Amino acid sequence: MTIAVQKFGGSSVADVEKIKNVARRVVESKKRIDHVVVVVSALGDTTDELLGLAGQISLSPPEREMDMLLSTGEQVSMALLAMALNELGQEAISMTGQQVEIITDTGHTKAKIRHVGAERVVQELRKGRVVVVAGFQGVTSEGEITTMGRGGSDTTAVALAASLHADYCEIYTDVDGVFTADPRVVPTAHKIEQISYMEMLEMAATGARVLQSRSVEYARNYQVPLHVRSSFHPGEGTWVKSEDDIMEKAIVSAVTHDFGEAKVTVVGVPDKPGVAARLFGALADANINVDMIIQNVSENARTDISFTASKDELEKVKKVIGELVEDLGAEGSKLDDNIAKISLVGAGMRTHPGIAAGMFKTLADNDINIEMISTSPIKISCVVGREDGEKAVKVLHEHFSL
Ligand code: ASP
Ligand code: MG
């Protein structure tokens, strides 16, 4: 007996025609798969529109009310899809996060799943129905509605797949799968057939936008195979699974880019114990995610510390740094939002020396200056000037013959 969870993103259910199209696809797959659970995102840009409405009323609306608002988007699409399925003669029933018993913590707007009940889902599946679940939303043990952060429907789908011991989880989207680079930057980029959870996590963290990072972590923890594929044609997409199950391992799998970060430098901080701890402690207290960090060689007992953070958080960063410069006895701060972070991701790096050298040489040969470097066992990231961003992705993609 096979069970599959299928998730359809916002662009796949953007209007009534597309919803009908999804319904036809679900009916089609129901012929091959015994039990199908569908998770839907909100129609098209609904979530952005709802955020816009809230923004016209308040700059900092209560997060509980944001969740009450944002969770409505997915309830529209789940009901319409259930209707479309019934219209095609396939019995279907829609359910909210609460009805499914997707229990989360109380972190409104970025809640984490604690537990998935899914008893009612199982009962409905046994009746031969397709169950359509609203993505992105859950409920606290006190009955408060929560949402799980942008792109959270991916995580709903994976969590349900784990709880139902589904054979796999399919993520239907408007691209054909996971690519070796963004095809808009590198026209010769191609679809990857299989990739490991770890590589996918690094790709998501370094700028690839196909899957919410948390959903990949969840899939890895519960060993749920993911299939990222197009909702517009039946071709195979990309399978994300455990490294052991991948036969042909690439040394370098992909080049990713992130043009959404800025570099902040705190200049002339005293080189003594505790300074970095205070600086990054203050940023953490303000809930700011810091990515790369570099501390320079010190001269005259002073040093520069640079880090990158998302441009979206720049206002918060400025505020924290403004207060800290004086406190720390630093000479000042600099901000550069004209940067690009370019990363190479590949599980084979662990066992093949020379990948980093090849990356630096390729950039050098193309006259691209590296401003910062960071590595993990399966990733190398370089910060370069924004004007070199696209070129860096192209030349690296070519050099590593992806
Ligand atoms: N509708 C939500 C968003 O746009 C959740 C999702 O699409 O996964 O972020
Ligand atoms: Mg969406």
Side-chain angles (χ1 to χ4, degrees):
M1 198 191 61
T2 46
I3 306 181
V5 176
Q6 305 185 323
K7 180 254 174 179
F8 290 88
S11 53
S12 308
V13 292
D15 55 42
V16 166
E17 273 322 303
K18 288 192 172 131
I19 291 173
K20 288 183 181 170
N21 182 48
V22 168
R24 281 190 289 270
R25 269 205 94 148
V26 172
V27 169
E28 203 45 48
S29 43
K30 187 74 177 65
K31 290 179 189 156
R32 300 175 275 116
I33 308 166
D34 302 305
H35 296 305
V36 178
V37 176
V38 182
V39 173
V40 282
S41 289
L43 270 64
D45 297 326
T46 304
T47 307
D48 289 317
E49 286 156 20
L50 292 171
L51 283 167
L53 286 176
Q56 290 173 45
I57 289 177
S58 165
L59 286 178
S60 53
E63 288 183 327
R64 175 190 186 275
E65 302 311 326
M66 277 317 283
D67 281 348
M68 293 299 270
L69 178 71
L70 295 184
S71 58
T72 61
E74 272 69 13
Q75 295 190 35
V76 173
S77 43
M78 71 170 190
L80 292 175
L81 180 58
M83 290 175 197
L85 284 163
N86 281 301
E87 198 63 25
L88 293 177
Q90 169 62 56
E91 265 197 68
I93 180 170
S94 66
M95 284 191 200
T96 63
Q98 180 155 30
Q99 288 170 319
V100 172
E101 258 189 86
I102 297 181
I103 309 297
T104 71
D105 63 15
T106 55
H108 281 292
T109 74
K110 46 182 177 303
K112 292 205 171 78
I113 297 180
R114 290 254 179 273
H115 168 77
V116 178
E119 255 166 60
R120 268 197 74 191
V121 175
V122 173
Q123 284 169 17
E124 296 297 338
L125 290 174
R126 288 210 179 109
K127 294 178 198 157
R129 292 180 171 161
V130 166
V131 180
V132 184
V133 175
F136 179 52
Q137 56 174 267
V139 64
T140 68
S141 47
E142 272 76 51
E144 291 285 58
I145 291 177
T146 52
T147 64
M148 310 188 304
R150 297 310 303 268
S153 301
D154 292 345
T155 303
T156 305
V158 176
L160 263 167
S163 155
L164 295 167
H165 303 287
D167 295 86
Y168 49 85
C169 178
E170 295 183 305
I171 307 284
Y172 286 87
T173 176
D174 52 4
V175 292
D176 290 355
V178 180
F179 278 68
T180 51
D182 185 336
R184 284 166 303 186
V185 176
V186 184
T188 55
H190 60 88
K191 192 183 71 199
I192 300 170
E193 270 165 36
Q194 311 189 342
I195 193 161
S196 66
Y197 296 122
M198 286 308 288
E199 289 169 299
M200 196 61 233
L201 273 173
E202 290 284 15
M203 287 184 70
T206 55
R209 285 184 210 292
V210 232
L211 289 170
Q212 196 198 34
S213 294
R214 204 184 284 168
S215 72
V216 186
E217 269 167 37
Y218 215 106
R220 185 193 53 179
N221 292 345
Y222 292 89
Q223 297 288 306
V224 178
L226 295 179
H227 187 191
V228 181
R229 60 190 306 186
S230 166
S231 58
F232 305 123
H233 65 74
E236 283 266 310
T238 301
W239 281 94
V240 187
K241 45 192 187 175
S242 83
E243 208 175 317
D244 297 343
D245 297 336
I246 294 177
M247 303 306 278
E248 274 190 45
K249 295 185 176 66
I251 300 174
V252 175
S253 293
V255 187
T256 56
H257 66 266
D258 190 343
F259 298 157
E261 290 191 356
K263 181 170 99 175
V264 183
T265 305
V266 187
V267 185
V269 287
D271 192 9
K272 61 178 191 204
V275 170
R278 269 175 70 199
L279 172 59
F280 294 104
L283 291 163
D285 288 345
N287 219 350
I288 296 163
N289 267 320
V290 170
D291 185 19
M292 295 163 108
I293 299 174
I294 283 190
Q295 177 171 335
N296 286 335
V297 189
S298 71
E299 268 177 58
N300 309 324
R302 283 185 182 271
T303 182
D304 294 348
I305 299 179
S306 300
F307 61 89
T308 63
S310 166
K311 280 183 197 168
D312 297 339
E313 311 218 278
L314 226 47
E315 288 311 311
K316 280 202 286 182
V317 173
K318 279 188 202 159
K319 194 164 167 270
V320 173
I321 297 298
E323 288 163 6
L324 266 176
V325 164
E326 208 173 311
D327 265 23
L328 292 175
E331 286 159 7
S333 65
K334 283 191 293 201
L335 205 136
D336 181 0
D337 61 2
N338 211 22
I339 60 163
K341 183 177 76 172
I342 313 297
S343 309
L344 281 188
V345 176
M349 281 182 201
R350 273 194 297 250
T351 43
H352 288 75
I355 304 299
M359 178 177 194
F360 305 151
K361 172 130 193 352
T362 306
L363 294 175
D365 288 347
N366 286 280
D367 231 8
I368 297 170
N369 186 43
I370 302 171
E371 298 179 26
M372 299 171 100
I373 299 168
S374 78
T375 64
S376 85
I378 63 164
K379 175 213 73 180
I380 309 159
S381 297
C382 292
V383 167
V384 302
R386 174 66 188 86
E387 64 285 358
D388 290 327
E390 280 87 356
K391 185 167 145 202
V393 178
K394 280 194 195 103
V395 295
L396 289 170
H397 192 269
E398 203 185 309
H399 177 80
F400 290 99
S401 324
L402 296 180

